[in-house]
Amino acid sequence: PQVKAFVTQDIPLYHNLEMKHLPGADPELVLLSLRYEELERIPLSDMTREEINQLVQELGFYRKETPDTPVPEEFQFAPAKSLPILLPCHVPTADGKTPSKCDKEEHPDL
C-alpha cells in the first residue's frame, strides 16, 4: 500500500521520474545514466512512502508543488550530474595532438 501510494500520488510530482508497470515484478527504483544505461536498482517493497520520497529527493530528483508546475531551468536534467568538462590536458596542443597522459576526473551521471 505504501509503494502504491507513492506511485499514484507522488511520482507525478517528480521531474524525470517515470513509472513502468511490470506485472508480477517487485517494485524497484531503476537509476539510468544519461545514455539510458542502468546504474543501480533499489528495491522499494519494504520502504514506506515517506522513505521513498526521502530517497528520491536525496538522489536529486526535483519535486514540483503540483504536477503542472514548471521545472526551473537548472533542474531540467536533474538528477543527472554535470557532464564531464574538458580538462586542460584534453585540449589539443599547438601541433593538434591531445596529450596522452592525463589525470582525468570521473563524473558519473545518474
Side-chain angles (χ1 to χ4, degrees):
Q2 294 283 310
V3 175
K4 184 175 183 178
F6 172 79
V7 168
T8 59
Q9 297 172 34
D10 297 320
I11 284 182
L13 298 174
Y14 286 100
H15 180 63
N16 287 338
L17 186 61
E18 296 178 18
M19 195 320 222
K20 300 221 175 174
H21 180 74
L22 301 174
D26 288 333
E28 296 178 302
L29 178 62
V30 180
L31 302 174
L32 304 175
S33 73
L34 289 172
R35 295 176 205 95
Y36 298 98
E37 298 161 331
E38 186 177 311
L39 299 173
E40 185 178 357
R41 286 181 176 260
I42 302 170
L44 301 177
S45 298
D46 296 330
M47 296 177 76
T48 66
R49 178 180 176 189
E50 183 178 311
E51 290 170 330
I52 299 169
N53 272 289
Q54 182 178 353
L55 171 65
V56 295
Q57 288 178 35
E58 286 173 1
L59 288 169
F61 286 91
Y62 180 78
R63 184 180 170 109
K64 303 178 282 184
E65 290 294 320
T66 68
D68 297 330
T69 301
V71 177
E73 187 174 332
E74 65 267 25
F75 295 107
Q76 286 297 316
F77 296 104
K81 307 293 185 239
S82 299
L83 293 175
I85 298 171
L86 284 180
L87 301 174
C89 59
H90 292 132
V91 176
T93 57
D95 61 4
K97 295 181 182 176
T98 303
S100 59
K101 289 188 179 181
C102 175
D103 293 330
K104 65 179 183 178
E105 185 178 332
E106 293 294 323
H107 294 275
D109 52 1
L110 182 66

